Structures are given as C-alpha cells and as structure tokens.
Amino acid sequence: MADFDLSRLVRPNVARMAPYSSARSEFAQGDGGVAAEVMLDANENPFDTGYHRYPDPLQHQLKQRILTTRALPALTEAHLFLGNGSDEAIDLLLRAFCEPGRGAIVIQPPTYGMYEVSANLQDAPIVRVPLGADLQPDYAALRAAAGPDTRLVFFCSPNNPTGNLLEPEAIAAFARSYHGLVIVDEAYIDFALAVRPDASLLPRLTELPNLVILQTFSKALGQAGIRMGMAWASPAVIAVLNKIKPPYNLSQVAQQAALNALDYSELTTQLVRILVAQREALRQTLGELPFVDHVFPSDANFLLVRFDDAAAVFSHLRAQGIVVRDRSKQPGCAGCLRLTVGTPDENARLIAALAEFTPAA
Ligand SMILES: *Cc1c(COP(=O)(O)O)cnc(C)c1O
C-alpha cells in the first residue's frame, strides 16, 4: 500500500466547512427516547399530499435494500453513497478532492465524457493516458503520469465506448500502489457479470481504502429516467461525499422507484441475458457486412463498430429514423459508431436498414 492518507487528499475548504444540518437530523442525533411526532421545523405544508415531507437525506431504506442485493456482509450503509445519477457522484468527487487549477484527474481515452466535463467545471487539470492497443490500461504510463498533484484516476470497466472489461486484478494492484483515489466506473458491470462472475471490484472494496466504485440504475436495471447512481467506497470517503452533497439530493419519488425496481431482479437477470445474446448475434451479423471494418468485442450492452465510411452509415441510419452514437472523433475511434443493443425488433430494424446501405463507389 502506498501512503494513502485521505486527510491529505480532501480539499482544505471541504475539510473545514460545516455541512448543512436540518433540525430533523439534529433531533435524531440528540437526546434519544422521544419520537419526533409533530414536525414544525421545515416549513413544509402539513397536509398530507403523499409527498409533503422532505425525503430521507441519507436514503436509509433504499440503501438497506441495495445491500441485500449485493450479499456482501462486509459492506454497510456507510460504504454507500447515492446520487442523482452516477454523474452526481463524479461531480462531487471532483469537488471534494480536486483543488481548482491544481488537483488533477487522470483519464484513459477513449472513455466516458463526463469525467472531463466535471473536471472542466471544477477547473481541474486533466492528464490523459490512452488505453493500450489491447484496450487495457497502460500501467507503466499510468504510474509515470500519476504524480503527486493527481488526485483521482478514472477506470471505466466495461469501458464506454469500447465495451471491454478492464482486468479487475490489475486495477486492484494499481490501487495498492497509488496515493490518490482510484475510481472504477462499473456502469455496465451487470452485463459483464452475466458472463464473468469475478468482473466487479466490489468484493475487494474493504481491502482497498482508496477504491471508489460507481454503479448505476440507468443501464441493466432499466431506470435511466429516475436518476439513481451509487458510489461504493470506504466509510471515510463516503462521509466526505455525504458532507458536501445537496441535503435532499434524491427525491422521494426516485427513492420509491428504485425500491420498486429492485423487486424485479429476476426479470432484470433475464433481460440482461437477452441483451447479451442479442449483442453477440448482432456482432456476428455486423461482422459479415462488407462495409464493416471491425466490430469490437463487448462486455456491455453496446457495440463499437468501425466502418469504412462511418459518416455515410450514420446519415443513412438517421434517414431511416435510427439514432446511433458517432464516436469517430474520440482518440483511437476513427471511423467508429457506437450501437446500443436494442430490443430484438429494434435490432432487426437496424440490420434491415444496414442491409440497404450502399457504399459510395
Ligand atoms: C451511462 C453511464 C453512466 C451512468 O450515469 P448515470 O448518471 O448514473 O445515468 C456512468 N458511467 C458510464 C461510463 C456510462 O456510460
């Protein structure tokens, strides 16, 4: 273990500041024994509309329910932060640990765009260490780049937009040697876990005090509309995020919807299996098209595809009402479009549309 010392990573103003405190949380922490019965503290409308009270700021019930789905007895509520999407967790990590103009992040392009957006908002320098030719991290280059002013190193596994899982053991080994926080964005991990039970770093969390794992309700769980993201980390790191988050960051509606979604875990498992099978079928079919140059192997619910003429394919699909993601400007992704795996019908429509594509002579 490198000399990981959280107190030296937290921005001094964040360490000094007092968080917002509600009368209700002060009451709960105060002289016990008396139940809070008459709530005249928060200027809510007292008449019951179903939503007239502020929601639980620390989402106790939902966190307990999420913990039962993970079945890792070492993990507690103190290891879990819930945000308005994982994007909120990314933003708060930058704000908590990166001094504007100084505290840098390391990203590994091609990768998810929000790390860079949040870093730019915070005015945090960005150090880029491209993935290697095998699309795995270049650890020698990472170690060289991860100097004392770097605070956060982002790994995205499976990586967006390339789709491949990053070897979890190698990330853990890097975390042991790094002084800052190692963020592993596992937004697509459920698709990898369907094939590889050891894909996630979550079981390693309690061994690695500088590990932060991001997961989300937006992908396999099918709840992008409710905005619900998870950050798993040591209780000390989670306490920092809780300290600076907006007090009521998750609405009661979102918390309730997330609880409901977790009641359908069997269905989720089935849908993930269907999507993985559809992905592999799509990969096969796409690979046989004469104007497809390469289909990247994927551990997620999308395929990165390199076309001879990506711009022409993109506009052909758009003319048929099919929207895909143009990633051709991303480093190492020249000529590439990212195709999300849809329902079987949608995938059939995609293939039918591509079958009608005629490359320019
Ligand atoms: C989709 C995605 C997310 C999800 O973000 P939410 O804010 O939770 O919807 C996070 N990371 C990556 C890499 C993604 O592709």
Side-chain angles (χ1 to χ4, degrees):
M1 186 74 225
D3 47 346
F4 175 68
D5 178 356
L6 187 67
S7 65
R8 280 196 295 168
L9 276 188
V10 180
R11 289 172 59 201
N13 63 307
V14 170
R16 276 194 310 270
M17 69 182 257
Y20 180 80
S21 178
S22 72
R24 229 158 272 179
S25 62
E26 285 166 14
F27 184 92
Q29 285 155 14
D31 202 7
V34 183
E37 284 173 355
V38 182
M39 306 291 207
L40 304 179
D41 60 310
N43 300 347
E44 297 146 328
N45 188 319
F47 299 105
D48 189 355
T49 64
Y51 297 109
H52 64 133
R53 295 297 179 201
Y54 279 100
D56 176 2
L58 291 174
Q59 308 98 18
H60 167 70
Q61 192 189 1
L62 177 55
K63 284 178 183 165
Q64 283 301 324
R65 183 75 183 83
I66 292 171
L67 285 166
T68 66
T69 67
R70 294 306 191 268
L72 293 167
L75 299 183
T76 68
E77 265 182 71
H79 293 91
L80 178 58
F81 167 85
L82 295 179
N84 189 18
S86 2
D87 289 350
E88 182 176 33
I90 294 167
D91 179 58
L92 292 180
L93 285 163
L94 262 295
R95 291 211 255 170
F97 298 106
C98 294
E99 200 72 47
R102 243 189 93 204
I105 69 164
V106 181
I107 61 171
Q108 305 183 64
T111 195
Y112 187 46
M114 279 310 289
Y115 315 138
E116 188 161 343
V117 171
S118 289
N120 284 336
L121 180 59
Q122 180 68 5
D123 195 20
I126 300 169
V127 179
R128 290 177 182 78
V129 180
L131 293 172
D134 58 356
L135 299 178
Q136 292 294 317
D138 180 345
Y139 285 101
L142 271 184
R143 275 190 295 272
D149 275 345
T150 66
R151 296 286 182 275
L152 312 173
V153 178
F154 282 89
F155 293 80
C156 186
S157 179
N159 186 45
N160 178 2
T162 56
N164 61 298
L165 187 77
L166 308 182
E167 277 306 320
E169 270 317 303
I171 298 175
F174 175 80
R176 278 190 286 269
S177 70
Y178 181 55
H179 70 275
L181 292 178
V182 167
I183 319 296
V184 185
D185 186 341
E186 294 190 348
Y188 300 97
I189 200 67
D190 297 287
F191 301 100
L193 284 169
V195 180
R196 235 189 100 162
D198 71 336
S200 174
L201 277 163
L202 194 58
R204 315 289 301 271
L205 191 75
T206 49
E207 291 164 39
L208 299 164
N210 59 340
L211 183 64
V212 180
I213 296 173
L214 303 177
Q215 296 178 344
T216 181
F217 278 66
S218 297
K219 306 289 157 61
L221 283 165
Q223 304 292 319
I226 72 172
R227 311 305 300 129
M228 185 69 67
M230 299 167 261
W232 300 89
S234 73
V237 171
I238 296 301
V240 175
L241 298 181
N242 282 335
K243 180 177 179 182
I244 66 170
K245 80 182 182 74
Y248 305 106
N249 59 328
L250 296 178
S251 74
Q252 189 188 329
V253 181
Q255 294 183 48
Q256 195 55 53
L259 279 166
N260 293 345
L262 293 175
D263 286 341
Y264 293 94
S265 62
E266 204 119 308
L267 178 63
T268 302
T269 311
Q270 280 174 35
L271 296 182
V272 165
R273 275 206 206 102
I274 291 171
L275 290 172
V276 167
Q278 285 285 309
R279 180 192 75 207
E280 289 310 300
L282 207 49
R283 181 168 176 234
Q284 171 88 28
T285 311
L286 290 166
E288 288 161 4
L289 295 172
F291 51 90
V292 166
D293 182 43
H294 183 59
V295 187
F296 291 74
S298 171
D299 300 297
N301 65 333
F302 56 85
L303 288 165
L304 188 68
V305 184
R306 190 161 58 227
F307 293 92
D308 294 339
D309 186 347
V313 173
F314 184 86
S315 47
H316 171 77
L317 290 176
R318 192 169 55 182
Q320 318 262 326
I322 299 175
V323 189
V324 301
R325 190 83 156 121
D326 180 358
R327 296 284 77 182
S328 59
K329 305 285 185 301
Q330 294 282 302
C333 296
C336 289
L337 304 178
R338 194 192 65 199
L339 313 178
T340 305
V341 179
T343 64
D345 278 356
E346 289 171 334
N347 301 330
R349 267 185 75 175
L350 171 71
I351 293 299
L354 285 172
E356 281 168 22
F357 175 73
T358 16

